[in-house]
Amino acid sequence: MARADGGIDRDILGDLLVRGQVDAAHQGAKSFSGPLGTPDESAKAAARDVTSGTTAAADELARRSSQIASRTQRRAARTAREFRLTISALREIERGLDEILDDLDAIAGTLGRLPTDGAMIRSMALSAVTGQAVLTAAIAGAATIKGLTHTGRWLLPVFTRIAASVQAAEDVIGLSLDVAYGAAAAGTATAIRIGRVQVRIAGRLLTVPASTALSIVGGLTYVTGWRAAMAAGLLGSTTALASGTVASVERSLRNAAGELGRGILTDPGALDSPSEWLRGAALILRNVKDGLDPDAIEDGIGRTLPDTGLLSYQSILALFSNAWTLTGKSDRSIRSVTPNRAQRAQMNAARDRYRAKLRAAHPRLSNRYGQLSTVGDVFANAGEIDALGENRAAVIRVMVNHGPPVTLTLILPSTKDWYSTSKVPNDLASNIAIMAGADSALLRAAEHALRSTMKDLRLDPSSVAVMVAGFSQGGITAARFAQRYHRDFAIKQVVTAGAPVARIPLPEGVSALSFENASDKVVPRLDMKRNNETKQHKTVRGRAGGHSAADYAETALDQQAAYARHGSVQRFLAKGGDRVTAHDHYVVRGR
């Protein structure tokens, strides 16, 4: 069940994996039986006109079944080939990890033998105290490497199980398709009565309404497609992460080997020095740790992820987007709402709780709401609209700096509902769609809010400068908004916080300012690529802070000097006696 504060509970997996398949079956049944209506409607229609009704039902079933079989067989064959290629790549990764772990084992073994190797100890030109310190360091280093190796050994069976699960999933998919083909073929070949079809399944004849037969085929097909898309998407994501990790560690080990090699060439006698061996082992260990750093892994994924094919970023996201579409939850229709008195009271209470919480944790932000004198104010407003809307409505705020000249800042909310029952446009469905490069309900809501504000204030969309900003999903959507609507509005600046936007190309004339906090290790990396540092796009990295709008407001306040001269941010911020007004728009999904 969705939480009002936009959080995730333990039932999220059940909602995604179980509810997702149920919704896919329902959507498939509805889609395939649509031309014939419900079973009762089919029976009534056939009773009115036996000949035309039953003939139409038979023809439709035959046509649909034939199309399904040929289309799904081709898709299944293509998916099977891609699965086999991916499994091979996964096993190569497994072998590479195994070799790295063997090398680490050997290093740990050498360090572990050092305290008991009398000859090596006697050869040390060290005092007893220093010698003991070296031995202690060696033992600690060996233990650390052993820990890393143990973790790696634990990961290998996981990769093996993933490969086995994919093969099993392929078998299940094949079996499901066989059942669907059998039901469809049997349905076209058996006797037809008034509005009903006899279907042979597992040797038994069942008499069902024609639309029910189509519903069975449709449900099976959609569920099969959902499972295939989800399995391939998860496999692609896991493989990308694994290959990026291996590439990162391998690069770090090569750097260590190069440094050790240069040292030996400079001083060949170092090979006879136990202290140099210890230094080399410490260097290798340090480089392995560097290779496992999230930034290094992200860079490794960026270097290994192909531009095309099943394992390309866009293909992986498209798979998840396709799965979501099959559940019928990708509807992008929206509608504006005006909160009634009770709803307004709920929203104001949520906003007041949020402000009270921030007064204690972030006292500097207690008076930043409704202001627009710094970029920190932008993120303070982003946090407030999240609190106002919760999972009841998406609140989109348009800040108007009356200048002169007049400028507009469009502030978009973050994800506030992760469940399939969502009624707001800033939910998981929009997250998937916007990252896959498709249209989203939140994108449409943003366009509606900006256009409505301009209409109310009688502003010309082609001449009034616009800055689009957001935290998390709001930031992703802000970048997509600039990409999609730069010809409809005079968009000059994008500001994002904790948002994966490296793969969203911005149009010429639009600058981007991104913030990524030190402790925000996951969300900004979901696009598996680091932001390009260019004149057009600048990234400010916070020295502290996690994934929250308030933390990013603090970062923006602390590091104003880092972006003071970037792009056109300053033209949107209020100065001196500039009057600023906030225009809030409340939007829900149309379904």
Side-chain angles (χ1 to χ4, degrees):
M1 180 178 179
R3 278 170 38 176
D5 64 358
I8 303 174
D9 285 324
R10 286 179 296 179
D11 61 351
I12 184 66
L13 282 179
D15 185 81
L16 290 175
L17 301 180
V18 178
R19 180 67 180 267
Q21 295 187 71
V22 172
D23 287 342
H26 174 74
Q27 187 70 11
K30 185 171 66 174
S31 173
F32 277 62
S33 63
L36 299 180
T38 66
D40 289 342
E41 289 169 347
S42 293
K44 290 176 183 177
R48 287 194 302 270
D49 191 343
V50 174
T51 304
S52 62
T54 54
T55 302
D59 289 347
E60 182 66 17
L61 182 59
R63 185 180 68 80
R64 289 264 182 146
S65 300
S66 175
Q67 287 179 348
I68 297 160
S70 59
R71 184 171 64 247
T72 313
Q73 279 175 335
R74 289 195 301 271
R75 186 180 301 157
R78 184 171 65 251
T79 302
R81 286 195 301 272
E82 291 173 338
F83 274 170
R84 282 192 286 273
L85 290 173
T86 306
I87 290 166
S88 298
L90 197 58
R91 285 176 176 155
E92 285 295 324
I93 291 168
E94 183 181 341
R95 283 193 287 273
L97 273 176
D98 217 355
E99 290 175 5
I100 291 172
L101 295 173
D102 286 341
D103 291 340
L104 288 175
D105 258 341
I107 294 168
T110 301
L111 288 174
R113 288 192 300 274
L114 179 57
T116 60
D117 190 332
M120 187 173 285
I121 293 172
R122 287 192 298 274
S123 69
M124 290 183 178
L126 303 167
S127 70
V129 175
T130 308
Q132 185 59 46
V134 171
L135 294 180
T136 302
I139 293 169
T144 304
I145 293 176
K146 278 292 183 186
L148 286 171
T149 306
H150 175 75
T151 303
R153 297 289 183 204
W154 176 82
L155 283 172
L156 290 181
V158 175
F159 289 134
T160 303
R161 285 197 298 274
I162 290 170
S165 297
V166 172
Q167 287 179 317
E170 186 183 337
D171 294 338
V172 171
I173 289 168
L175 180 62
S176 299
L177 292 174
D178 288 342
V179 172
Y181 301 151
T188 61
T190 53
I192 301 174
R193 298 177 183 175
I194 297 177
R196 308 181 82 77
V197 176
Q198 282 188 330
V199 181
R200 183 181 299 276
I201 299 178
R204 299 181 60 186
L205 275 176
L206 301 176
T207 302
V208 297
S211 59
T212 300
L214 282 174
S215 295
I216 293 170
V217 176
L220 282 169
T221 302
Y222 271 50
V223 170
T224 296
W226 183 92
R227 289 176 178 174
M230 287 295 288
L234 289 170
L235 178 66
S237 303
T238 305
T239 305
L241 177 61
S243 60
T245 303
V246 171
S248 176
V249 173
E250 181 185 19
R251 188 179 202 179
S252 296
L253 289 175
R254 284 181 180 173
N255 290 339
E259 187 173 341
L260 289 172
R262 287 190 295 273
I264 292 170
L265 288 174
T266 304
D267 181 14
L271 287 171
D272 299 325
S273 170
S275 60
E276 285 299 315
W277 280 98
L278 286 175
R279 190 186 72 82
L283 178 64
I284 291 172
L285 179 60
R286 186 173 68 249
N287 276 270
V288 169
K289 286 183 176 179
D290 290 344
L292 294 174
D293 180 78
D295 286 332
I297 292 174
E298 182 182 43
D299 182 59
I301 294 173
R303 287 185 288 109
T304 57
L305 207 62
D307 294 328
T308 59
L310 180 67
L311 288 182
S312 69
Y313 177 80
Q314 287 303 122
S315 294
I316 293 171
L317 263 294
L319 288 166
F320 289 122
S321 182
N322 289 341
W324 206 258
T325 299
L326 288 171
T327 67
K329 301 299 183 183
S330 59
D331 176 42
R332 297 175 179 88
S333 61
I334 57 165
R335 58 188 176 88
S336 293
V337 294
T338 302
N340 58 34
R341 183 177 298 177
Q343 291 168 333
R344 180 76 67 179
Q346 276 186 319
M347 289 181 169
N348 289 340
R351 179 200 61 197
D352 292 342
R353 287 194 300 272
Y354 176 77
R355 288 185 176 183
K357 180 180 175 182
L358 259 67
R359 272 195 297 273
H362 301 274
R364 287 198 299 174
L365 305 181
S366 60
N367 62 345
R368 312 308 303 187
Y369 310 106
Q371 296 193 36
L372 196 61
S373 57
T374 71
V375 175
D377 298 345
V378 173
F379 297 137
N381 281 282
E384 182 173 77
I385 62 175
D386 277 348
L388 267 173
E390 291 190 326
N391 67 347
R392 291 184 289 269
V395 180
I396 298 171
R397 179 165 289 178
V398 182
M399 304 287 291
V400 182
N401 181 353
H402 294 269
V406 174
T407 59
L408 272 63
T409 297
L410 176 65
I411 305 176
L412 306 179
S414 66
T415 307
K416 300 307 291 180
D417 201 319
W418 298 86
Y419 293 79
S420 58
T421 54
S422 167
K423 294 179 174 60
V424 295
N426 49 327
D427 57 8
L428 179 59
S430 284
N431 253 329
I432 295 171
I434 204 69
M435 289 189 70
D439 193 6
S440 82
L442 183 58
L443 195 65
R444 294 187 179 189
E447 189 265 347
H448 169 78
L450 184 59
R451 200 172 291 281
S452 295
T453 301
M454 288 189 166
K455 182 179 179 180
D456 291 344
L457 298 177
R458 298 181 180 180
L459 299 175
D460 180 7
S462 64
S463 61
V464 177
V466 174
M467 177 167 73
V468 193
F471 156 67
S472 198
Q473 180 182 168
I476 307 169
T477 308
R480 286 287 184 205
F481 188 92
Q483 183 191 52
R484 184 73 56 89
Y485 293 109
H486 69 279
R487 292 187 179 89
D488 300 280
F489 302 99
I491 301 170
K492 302 300 179 184
Q493 182 72 48
V494 171
V495 178
T496 71
V501 295
R503 296 182 184 272
I504 302 177
L506 292 173
E508 187 177 350
V510 178
S511 298
L513 175 63
S514 296
F515 292 82
E516 293 184 3
N517 278 342
S519 297
D520 194 358
K521 298 290 188 183
V522 178
V523 178
R525 296 181 172 85
L526 288 177
D527 54 359
M528 302 181 185
K529 185 179 180 182
R530 301 195 74 179
N531 293 342
N532 292 323
E533 290 296 324
T534 64
K535 184 177 180 181
Q536 184 183 29
H537 192 172
K538 180 177 182 60
T539 301
V540 177
R541 305 194 184 278
R543 293 182 285 271
H547 190 71
S548 79
D551 283 354
Y552 277 107
E554 294 277 15
T555 297
L557 289 174
D558 287 340
Q559 300 199 41
Q560 294 183 57
Y563 58 85
R565 298 181 181 278
H566 171 74
S568 55
V569 173
Q570 298 301 323
R571 71 185 291 187
F572 295 93
L573 302 180
K575 302 170 186 66
D578 288 350
R579 184 170 67 94
V580 175
T581 56
H583 302 254
D584 288 349
H585 300 261
Y586 304 87
V587 184
V588 297
R589 283 188 171 274
R591 58 172 179 250

